[in-house]
Amino acid sequence: MKRYRNGEIWDFEHETPVSEDRPVILGLDGGTTSTVCICMPVLPFSNPLPDPLPVLARAVAGCSNHNSVGETAARETLEQVMADALSKSGSNRSAVQAVCLAVSGVNHPTDEQRILNWLRDIFPIHVKLYVQNDAVAALASGTMGKLHGCVLIAGTGTIAYGFTEDGREARAAGAGPILGDWGSGYGIAAQALTAVVRAHDGRGPETILTNSILQELDLCSPDELIGWTYADPSWARIAALVPVVVSCAEAGDEVANKILQDSVEELALSVKAVVQKLDLCGEDGNASFPLVMVGGVLEANKRWDIGKEVVNCISEDYPGALPIRPKVTTIQFLPTISFLIFIFLFFE
Amino acid sequence: MKRYRNGEIWDFEHETPVSEDRPVILGLDGGTTSTVCICMPVLPFSNPLPDPLPVLARAVAGCSNHNSVGETAARETLEQVMADALSKSGSNRSAVQAVCLAVSGVNHPTDEQRILNWLRDIFPIHVKLYVQNDAVAALASGTMGKLHGCVLIAGTGTIAYGFTEDGREARAAGAGPILGDWGSGYGIAAQALTAVVRAHDGRGPETILTNSILQELDLCSPDELIGWTYADPSWARIAALVPVVVSCAEAGDEVANKILQDSVEELALSVKAVVQKLDLCGEDGNASFPLVMVGGVLEANKRWDIGKEVVNCISEDYPGALPIRPKVTTIQFLPTISFLIFIFLFFE
C-alpha cells in the first residue's frame, strides 16, 4: 500500500483518529453522470437483507467513466470518493476488507485489469478487490442480488446486460456515443441539438426544440450551439437536456416525438439482442425473466413515458419479460443500494 | 507585439539573420486533419495569377479546429505553423504585412474575434489580419478567387458554404460530429465502427467491415474497439478509416454500401439547403452556378466515387450545378493554393 499516493486524498488518515477498529467494505457504483461510494460494516449474509442496510457513510462525486472524461480524471474521482466515504465513516484503509467497484466503461478484461492494478496500489495486499461493469450491480439491485435476467440502464449512457441462471452472460450497446448508443440520454439530447442545427440551416423541419433548448442554455442563436457543444466534452452535460426533449414531445412537437420514439426502439433492441443471445425467453419464447429498468431516461415521471414504451416494445416479442423498476425512487440513491446488494452477493 | 510570447516558438527570430527585408504575407488553411501555412512576397494583383505562385516557404502541421482538439492545442498549432513558415522563408514577424487565416471551426463572430485578439498579441499593430471559415478559401480555390457559387468540403469534417454575386452568404452542416455532420469522413467511419459493434452484440447484420476494420487497427475483437475509440478523441483518427469502408462497399458489403449511400444523401442535402437559401439556381431553377468540391471523401480515386454520386444527386434537383474539382491533385497541397488565391482576392 502506497500510504502517500495522491497525498491530499489520504491525508485524513493521519489527521483523524479512527473511531473504532471495525472491519468495513467499500461499495462503489460509478456512472457517467455521478459516482456513489458507500462504506458499510462486514456482516454475516442474511436473506432477506437487513432493512435498512447498515450504511456507515456515503459519498458522492461526478463522472468516473474513463471513456467520457479520460483515465486520469476517472481514477482521481474514484479514489477521492472512496477516501471521502472512509473518512466520513471514521475508518481508514487499514479497516477495509473488500472493495467492490461497479463502473460504467468497464467493457473489456483490460479495463478491469487496469483498475485492479491501480486499486492494488492503494489498498493493503489482503483486501479483496472486485471490478465489474455497473450494469451487473444494477441487475442485482432489481433482483435482490440474484444474477438472472436482463437489466437495461438508460441514463447518460445505455447498456443492456443479461445473465442466465447457469452463469452465461451477454451484453448489447454500452459502447458510448461515438459507437451508436443512440437510445441513451446523451443520444436523445445530441439528436435534439442536431435537429435544431438542421432546422436552422435548412436541412430539417422546424421544431420547438429550437426555442426550448436555446432558452434552457441561455443562448441567442442556433449558431451558438456549436461553441456550447464543443466547449466541454462531458457526456452528462449534453444528456442533461433530455427533460427539454420530453417536454417538447409532450407539447406535440413531431421532431422531438420522433427522437423519443427512435430511442424507445433502440433501447428495446438492445434488450431483445441480449434476450435472444441468452435464450432468456425459453424454447417456446414465452418463458418469464426479470427485466430490470434503471436510469433517468426510464423514470416514469412524465406523460411521455419512455420506460413504459420500451417495455411495450419488448413485450411484443417477449411476453415473458417481467419489468422491475427497483423500489428506490431517487436516482441519486439508487446506485448505492444497487451496490450494497451486489456486495452481499459476493460475500454470500 | 509580445516578442517573447511562447518563447520557443519565436526563438528563431533571434537566432537566424533575416535574409532580406522583403514584405511578406502569411496565408493559412487550417483543417481538422492538417494545417498548411505559406509565406509569400507581397505582389501587385494580376489577372491571371502568376503561375507558379511565388511561394517562399510552406509549413505543415496537424489539426487546428478548436472544436476537435480544444482551444489551447489549436492555438499552439496555428502559432507554430506560422512561425515555421516564416522561419523557413528566412523572414520574421517584422516583415509581415498581412495574416490570412482560413480555419475550420470558425462558425460564429465570437470564434473569429477570439482568434483576431490572439493574433493581435502575436503580430505588430500595422499587420492586417483576416480570419474566415476554411470553406471560404476552398470556394475561392475553385473559382479562381471569385466568391460566387457553393463549395462542399467533405474531409474529416464537412460543410457547405455559398455566396451570391451580390455578397449574400449561407452555410449548412459544419457543426461537427456531435451535431449531425453524418456525411463527413468522421461520420462515415463512426457509422462503420458502430455497425461493427452492432453486428457483434446482435443488434445489426453481419458485415465484412468487422474483419477489415479490426485488421486495419490491429485489434482482435470488436470489444476492443471501445477502448480504441475513446483512447484518443481526435476526429481525424476516426476519419482515417474511410478508405476501409469504401473498400468494403466495393467488395459488395451491403452495410458499408448503405453507409456511403447515406453519406451521399447527407452531403447533397447540405448543398441543396445552401442553393435554396441563396436562390443560386435562379427563378426557373435552372440557372448555372459553380459547385466546388473539396476534400478527401470527394476525391475520385475509387470505383465507389462518393463525389460523383453527390453531384448526380444534386443535379437531379439543380441541373445548373457546375461541378469544379480544383485542379491541384494532392489534397496536401490544395489548402495552400486555396489560400494563396484567397489572399490575392483580399489584396485586389
Side-chain angles (χ1 to χ4, degrees):
Chain A
M1 171 167 70
K2 293 187 187 167
R3 297 187 66 86
Y4 297 98
R5 186 192 151 91
N6 272 349
E8 316 99 63
I9 290 182
W10 299 102
D11 273 357
F12 76 90
E13 294 184 336
H14 310 286
E15 290 158 6
T16 324
V18 174
S19 58
E20 50 175 313
D21 199 18
R22 117 210 97 187
V24 299
I25 300 172
L26 288 177
L28 186 147
D29 191 328
T32 309
T33 307
S34 63
T35 298
V36 180
C37 181
I38 56 95
C39 178
M40 53 173 270
V42 175
L43 296 172
F45 181 74
S46 68
N47 192 353
L49 298 167
D51 188 10
L53 288 159
V55 176
L56 298 172
R58 175 172 172 273
V60 180
C63 171
S64 57
N65 182 333
H66 66 101
N67 288 329
S68 170
V69 291
E71 188 68 20
T72 310
R75 189 176 289 192
E76 202 164 299
T77 298
L78 291 171
E79 188 165 358
Q80 184 68 59
V81 78
M82 289 190 294
D84 287 350
L86 273 176
S87 168
K88 279 185 180 179
S89 70
S91 301
N92 66 33
R93 284 178 287 173
S94 64
V96 175
Q97 300 296 302
V99 178
C100 307
L101 262 60
V103 196
S104 67
V106 172
N107 297 301
H108 192 264
T110 55
D111 296 325
E112 190 184 333
Q113 198 52 54
R114 207 171 46 237
I115 295 178
L116 283 173
N117 290 345
W118 154 80
L119 284 175
R120 197 33 80 222
D121 253 11
I122 299 178
F123 290 95
I125 189 71
H126 68 272
V127 175
K128 290 194 175 73
L129 303 175
Y130 305 96
V131 173
Q132 280 279 7
N133 187 290
D134 61 337
V136 180
L139 176 58
S141 79
T143 56
M144 295 315 280
K146 189 174 177 189
L147 286 183
H148 168 237
C150 186
V151 62
L152 174 65
I153 301 184
T156 292
T158 182
I159 189 169
Y161 215 113
F163 285 87
T164 59
E165 296 197 81
D166 59 358
R168 286 179 300 123
E169 57 187 284
R171 54 173 281 177
I178 298 178
L179 299 173
D181 283 357
W182 300 318
S184 66
Y186 179 97
I188 291 170
Q191 286 172 80
L193 289 167
T194 295
V196 172
V197 170
R198 292 172 84 91
H200 179 61
D201 69 19
R203 284 180 298 154
E206 291 300 319
T207 162
I208 63 169
L209 283 166
T210 301
N211 281 340
S212 302
I213 289 179
L214 292 180
Q215 198 175 344
E216 176 77 16
L217 302 179
D218 206 15
L219 300 176
C220 300
S221 147
D223 287 327
E224 293 176 18
L225 277 181
I226 304 177
W228 180 86
T229 300
Y230 299 104
D232 176 347
S234 142
W235 299 345
R237 181 170 156 269
I238 307 272
L241 291 171
V242 169
V244 180
V245 187
V246 174
S247 299
C248 289
E250 290 180 347
D253 186 73
E254 279 184 30
V255 174
N257 193 62
K258 170 85 164 58
I259 290 169
L260 296 188
Q261 202 60 56
D262 289 349
S263 157
V264 165
E265 276 164 37
E266 281 294 318
L267 295 173
L269 182 62
S270 299
V271 171
K272 289 176 187 178
V274 168
V275 172
Q276 189 161 23
K277 260 192 192 172
L278 298 177
D279 273 333
L280 288 176
C281 55
E283 285 187 1
D284 65 353
N286 292 321
S288 66
F289 59 91
L291 170 62
V292 179
M293 316 264 291
V294 178
V297 169
L298 304 174
E299 300 255 296
N301 54 359
K302 300 275 189 178
R303 259 190 299 133
W304 214 118
D305 186 337
I306 300 174
K308 190 176 132 197
E309 297 298 328
V310 170
V311 170
N312 289 345
C313 189
I314 293 166
S315 299
E316 284 172 17
D317 288 358
Y318 302 116
L322 301 172
I324 298 167
R325 299 182 190 233
K327 62 183 174 182
V328 187
T329 49
T330 65
I331 189 168
Q332 191 68 332
F333 198 63
L334 181 63
T336 315
I337 297 297
S338 313
F339 213 74
L340 275 173
I341 295 167
F342 188 56
I343 292 163
F344 272 105
L345 187 82
F346 267 120
F347 280 77
E348 194 171 351
Chain B
M1 173 168 69
K2 293 188 187 167
R3 294 188 67 86
Y4 295 97
R5 186 191 150 89
N6 272 349
E8 317 98 65
I9 290 183
W10 298 103
D11 273 357
F12 75 90
E13 294 185 335
H14 311 287
E15 289 158 8
T16 323
V18 175
S19 59
E20 50 176 312
D21 198 17
R22 112 210 102 187
V24 299
I25 300 172
L26 289 176
L28 186 146
D29 191 326
T32 309
T33 307
S34 63
T35 298
V36 179
C37 181
I38 56 94
C39 177
M40 52 173 271
V42 175
L43 295 173
F45 181 73
S46 68
N47 193 351
L49 299 168
D51 188 9
L53 288 159
V55 176
L56 298 172
R58 176 170 173 275
V60 179
C63 171
S64 57
N65 182 334
H66 66 101
N67 288 330
S68 171
V69 290
E71 187 67 23
T72 309
R75 190 176 288 192
E76 202 163 298
T77 298
L78 291 171
E79 188 165 355
Q80 185 67 59
V81 78
M82 291 190 293
D84 287 350
L86 272 176
S87 167
K88 280 185 179 178
S89 71
S91 303
N92 67 32
R93 283 178 288 172
S94 63
V96 174
Q97 301 294 303
V99 178
C100 307
L101 262 60
V103 196
S104 67
V106 172
N107 297 301
H108 191 264
T110 54
D111 295 325
E112 189 185 335
Q113 197 54 53
R114 207 171 47 238
I115 295 179
L116 282 173
N117 290 345
W118 155 79
L119 284 175
R120 198 31 83 220
D121 254 12
I122 299 178
F123 290 96
I125 188 72
H126 68 271
V127 175
K128 289 194 176 74
L129 304 175
Y130 305 96
V131 173
Q132 280 278 7
N133 188 290
D134 62 337
V136 179
L139 176 58
S141 78
T143 56
M144 295 314 280
K146 190 174 176 189
L147 287 183
H148 169 237
C150 185
V151 63
L152 173 65
I153 301 185
T156 291
T158 182
I159 188 170
Y161 215 112
F163 284 88
T164 59
E165 296 198 83
D166 59 357
R168 285 180 300 125
E169 58 187 284
R171 56 174 279 180
I178 299 178
L179 299 173
D181 283 356
W182 300 319
S184 66
Y186 178 98
I188 291 169
Q191 285 171 80
L193 289 167
T194 295
V196 173
V197 170
R198 292 171 84 92
H200 179 61
D201 69 19
R203 285 179 298 155
E206 290 300 318
T207 162
I208 63 168
L209 283 166
T210 301
N211 282 339
S212 302
I213 288 179
L214 292 181
Q215 197 175 344
E216 175 78 16
L217 301 180
D218 207 15
L219 301 176
C220 300
S221 146
D223 287 327
E224 293 177 15
L225 278 181
I226 304 177
W228 179 86
T229 300
Y230 299 105
D232 176 347
S234 143
W235 299 344
R237 181 169 157 270
I238 307 272
L241 292 171
V242 170
V244 180
V245 187
V246 174
S247 299
C248 289
E250 289 180 346
D253 186 73
E254 279 184 30
V255 174
N257 193 62
K258 170 85 164 58
I259 290 170
L260 296 188
Q261 203 59 57
D262 289 349
S263 158
V264 165
E265 276 165 36
E266 281 293 319
L267 296 172
L269 182 62
S270 298
V271 171
K272 289 177 187 177
V274 168
V275 172
Q276 187 161 25
K277 260 193 192 170
L278 298 177
D279 273 333
L280 288 176
C281 55
E283 285 186 4
D284 65 354
N286 292 321
S288 66
F289 60 91
L291 170 62
V292 179
M293 315 264 291
V294 178
V297 170
L298 304 174
E299 300 254 296
N301 54 359
K302 298 277 188 176
R303 260 190 300 135
W304 214 118
D305 185 338
I306 300 175
K308 189 176 133 198
E309 297 298 328
V310 170
V311 169
N312 289 345
C313 189
I314 294 167
S315 299
E316 284 172 17
D317 288 359
Y318 302 116
L322 302 173
I324 299 168
R325 299 183 190 231
K327 62 181 174 183
V328 186
T329 48
T330 64
I331 191 168
Q332 190 68 331
F333 198 63
L334 182 62
T336 316
I337 298 297
S338 313
F339 214 76
L340 275 172
I341 295 167
F342 189 56
I343 292 164
F344 272 105
L345 188 82
F346 267 120
F347 279 78
E348 193 172 348

